[in-house]
Amino acid sequence: MSRSRLKVFFDGGCRPNPGPIEAAAVIRGKAHIFTDLGQGDNRDAEWTALIRALELVQTLELGEVDLIGDAIEIVRQAKAALERGEPRNSHEAAFLALAARTPPARIRWIKREQNLAGIALARRHPR
């Protein structure tokens, strides 16, 4: 019986938008929160979260994983960058540099309410 790959959830945000960026990655049920990541908009925050998640995968030496996020635009752009092998912006360049060392098995989109990293970030900002 084959083992399923490890799922790494990622999400980024900024409050207000644009504003200070924060990001989260959830691996094996543990939330890793990153703050003080500079200023930007939601797109910058989502890319930062994806990049931080892949950095964490490398730091923890997890090998091939599925990266899972709820920002469909970023998921599509990251997949396209992997297929092209050439970056179109600085976010893609940072992502591809990391992916060259530890390529994700898959990058996929899920609904916001299913994203464990998004849930972890939302807990930081109760309404």
Side-chain angles (χ1 to χ4, degrees):
M1 183 178 215
S2 68
R3 223 176 84 184
S4 63
R5 282 185 299 271
L6 183 63
K7 295 176 183 172
V8 176
F9 297 86
F10 67 91
D11 195 27
C14 52
R15 292 169 195 259
N17 181 24
I21 293 173
E22 62 182 6
V26 174
I27 301 172
R28 295 184 178 125
K30 181 177 182 204
H32 302 265
I33 306 291
F34 305 94
T35 59
D36 298 322
L37 299 173
Q39 299 283 314
D41 60 19
N42 281 337
R43 184 179 167 282
D44 297 318
E46 293 289 353
W47 268 109
T48 301
L50 174 60
I51 291 163
R52 288 294 173 113
L54 194 50
E55 288 173 344
L56 197 53
V57 165
Q58 291 179 358
T59 298
L60 298 174
E61 299 179 348
L62 299 177
E64 198 173 65
V65 299
D66 286 350
L67 295 171
I68 303 170
D70 60 35
I72 197 162
E73 175 189 358
I74 303 313
V75 168
R76 285 180 180 156
Q77 289 175 1
K79 288 166 88 171
L82 283 173
E83 289 175 16
R84 278 192 320 274
E86 293 291 325
R88 291 189 176 164
N89 58 51
S90 60
H91 293 305
E92 287 184 7
F95 173 69
L96 287 176
L98 290 167
R101 293 189 336 202
T102 308
R106 253 184 356 168
I107 304 172
R108 67 184 183 95
W109 174 84
I110 57 170
K111 294 178 182 177
R112 174 106 176 115
E113 59 270 11
Q114 297 172 313
N115 188 348
L116 299 179
I119 293 166
L121 282 181
R123 285 185 186 140
R124 300 187 73 230
H125 305 282
R127 292 184 181 234

